[in-house]
Amino acid sequence: MTSSLNLDPLIDQARRTHSSALCVMQGGHTLVDDTCGSRDPVETMSVTKAVLSLIVGRAVTLGHLPGPDVPVAEFYPEWRQGRRAQVTLRHLMTHTSGLQNVPAAPEEIYPSPDFVQLALCAEFQHAPGAAFSYNNKAVNLICGVLRRATGQHADDFARAELFGPLGIHDVTWARDAAGTPHGMSGLSLHARDLARLGHLTLRGGEELITSDWIHASTRPATPLTARMGLLWWTWHPQATYTVTDANVHNLRAAQASPAQIAALTGLRGTYPHHVFHARMAEVGFDPTQVPAGTRWLHEDSGPRRGWCHDGWLGQSLVVDAEADLVAVRLIAADQPGAGSAGSDWPDFTDDVFALTR
C-alpha cells in the first residue's frame, strides 16, 4: 500500500531513541515494520494491561464472564463480606477498587511469590469506587479471576482463544512463583503483533470479541475520570492541564511531602499535554507520590481521538480511531541505551497525532 503519510520523522526518532521496534498500520495495511535490529519479542511492560482487557473481553464473549460488573466475590467466596463484597471486575479494570497499593511495583509486588494472594490480602485505602488510583496490585488479581472463570491461566487462555486465531504465536508471558501470569506487565510480543491487537479494536473485535466490549472498554468506564476505560486509556491529544492554588492546597491538606508540595507550586498554570509532562519533569513533580484521591490538577480532555496505553521504558500502543491507524513503539530492557535520557520518547502519542493532524 502506498501511503501519503510522512513517516520519516517517526522512523528517524525511533532510531534516535534506541527503539527496538516501530510498527505503524493504517486501514489494516502495514506501513512500517521496523525491528531496528531486534529479532525477539519485547516486554510490553504496562501495555500488557491493554491486551489483558482484550483477553477479558474474549472471556466475556465466550460466556465465561457475565461482564465487567460481576463481583470478584463470585470467584473468591472469602470476599463475600465487608468492602470486599463491593469490589467488581470493573473496579479492578478502572483502578478504582480502593485496594492499598505501593506505586513502585519492585518495592512490594515483584518480591511477592504470589501476586494474586497479595491482592486478595490487601487492605483498603478507599471504599470501592470512591477514588481513582493506578493500581498494579489490583490488576494482577484479574488473572486470578480469569483462571477461576475459564479454568485456564490467562496466558494459556489467550494463546488458545485470542493470539492463536490471530496468527500470533511468538509470545512469552512472565509468571509469578505461584505459576500465575502477571496482569500488570510481563507480556512479550513483536511490535507487529501488538499492532495487530490494536487493529482488532478498530474492527470492533472482529469475530473474537463482541463490539459491545470493545466499545465499553475504549470509552470512559468510571465516573471518576474521563481518561480511563476498561484497562485502556482514552486518548485526547488536545487535552490541557491546569494546576491552581486550590490544587496545591489539596495536596498540602493530604499531607504530601514538602518537596512534592513545592514542586506542584512551581507547576501552577495551564499546559497542553506534551508541555505538561515535560514541565512535571522539570520541577520534579511525581504524580505517583500523590495520596490517592487528591485533586491536584484540572483536566480539560478535549475531543477523544482514540485509545492507548504506555509502559515503563517508553513502550507505547496508540490507536487512532479517526485515522484508522495503529502505532507501536517498543524498547527492550537490554537494548543499548534503554533507560537513559536519550531513550525517552514522551511525545510519541503527539508524534502519532501529527501524522494525520
Side-chain angles (χ1 to χ4, degrees):
M1 177 185 178
T2 301
S3 172
S4 61
L5 304 181
N6 181 11
L7 295 162
D8 291 340
L10 205 68
I11 296 170
D12 291 343
Q13 184 68 354
R15 295 189 176 280
R16 279 195 296 268
T17 57
H18 315 295
S19 302
S20 299
L22 175 72
C23 185
V24 179
M25 295 179 65
Q26 188 174 38
H29 300 278
T30 301
L31 307 182
V32 177
D33 184 10
D34 190 343
T35 62
C36 306
S38 176
R39 296 182 178 179
D40 298 323
V42 177
E43 222 259 76
T44 61
M45 307 300 176
S46 281
V47 182
T48 297
K49 296 178 176 72
V51 180
L52 184 60
S53 177
L54 298 178
I55 296 167
V56 174
R58 180 62 175 155
V60 170
T61 301
L62 293 175
H64 296 297
L65 289 165
D69 295 312
V70 60
V72 173
E74 290 292 316
F75 306 96
Y76 289 94
E78 63 268 35
W79 269 34
R80 290 178 178 167
Q81 55 185 342
R83 284 182 167 179
R84 300 188 193 281
Q86 303 170 29
V87 179
T88 66
L89 183 58
R90 180 185 298 275
H91 289 135
L92 302 182
M93 299 185 76
T94 57
H95 304 287
T96 59
S97 66
L99 291 176
Q100 173 273 334
N101 179 60
V102 175
E107 293 183 19
E108 183 179 22
I109 296 176
Y110 284 122
S112 172
D114 190 329
F115 290 8
V116 170
Q117 195 60 38
L118 183 69
L120 289 171
C121 294
E123 299 298 327
F124 283 86
Q125 288 179 314
H126 301 279
F132 171 82
S133 182
Y134 192 82
N135 195 319
N136 282 314
K137 184 185 294 182
V139 172
N140 288 329
L141 181 53
I142 296 170
C143 286
V145 171
L146 281 168
R147 175 68 189 276
R148 296 203 170 185
T150 69
Q152 296 177 276
H153 281 301
D155 52 352
D156 293 331
F157 177 77
R159 287 188 180 93
E161 297 293 347
L162 182 64
F163 300 153
L166 291 172
I168 298 173
H169 302 293
D170 196 1
V171 180
T172 61
W173 199 329
R175 291 187 174 193
D176 63 18
T180 303
H182 306 177
M184 64 183 185
S185 60
L187 174 63
S188 295
L189 290 166
H190 292 287
R192 59 180 173 272
D193 290 333
L194 185 55
R196 178 70 184 86
L197 291 165
H199 177 72
L200 179 72
T201 66
L202 285 173
R203 296 296 174 266
E206 296 178 331
E207 301 299 320
L208 293 171
I209 302 171
T210 66
S211 59
D212 287 346
W213 179 266
I214 299 298
H215 184 276
S217 61
T218 58
R219 285 162 177 78
T222 169
L224 296 176
T225 172
R227 287 289 322 283
M228 194 76 241
L230 296 173
L231 289 177
W232 286 93
W233 295 107
T234 59
W235 183 37
H236 306 259
Q238 295 173 289
T240 59
Y241 301 89
T242 300
V243 176
T244 67
D245 288 336
N247 297 129
V248 176
H249 172 77
N250 292 341
L251 192 66
R252 187 177 290 111
Q255 299 183 332
S257 71
Q260 288 300 294
I261 293 170
L264 190 65
T265 301
L267 196 58
R268 287 173 299 179
T270 298
Y271 311 87
H273 168 80
H274 63 288
V275 174
F276 181 69
H277 288 84
R279 182 68 181 140
M280 275 201 301
E282 287 176 7
V283 301
F285 184 74
D286 182 358
T288 67
Q289 300 304 312
V290 174
T294 305
R295 295 185 179 276
W296 61 274
L297 87 166
H298 172 75
E299 179 180 358
D300 182 357
S301 297
R304 170 182 163 277
R305 177 87 180 192
W307 42 94
C308 61
H309 216 296
D310 57 8
W312 184 64
L313 290 180
Q315 322 299 35
S316 192
L317 165 62
V318 182
V319 180
D320 187 335
E322 287 192 26
D324 195 18
L325 184 145
V326 181
V328 171
R329 184 265 185 156
L330 297 176
I331 178 169
D334 60 358
Q335 177 86 352
S340 68
S343 70
D344 292 341
W345 196 349
D347 297 335
F348 180 74
T349 54
D350 295 302
D351 292 342
V352 171
F353 179 50
L355 292 174
T356 57
R357 180 166 42 196

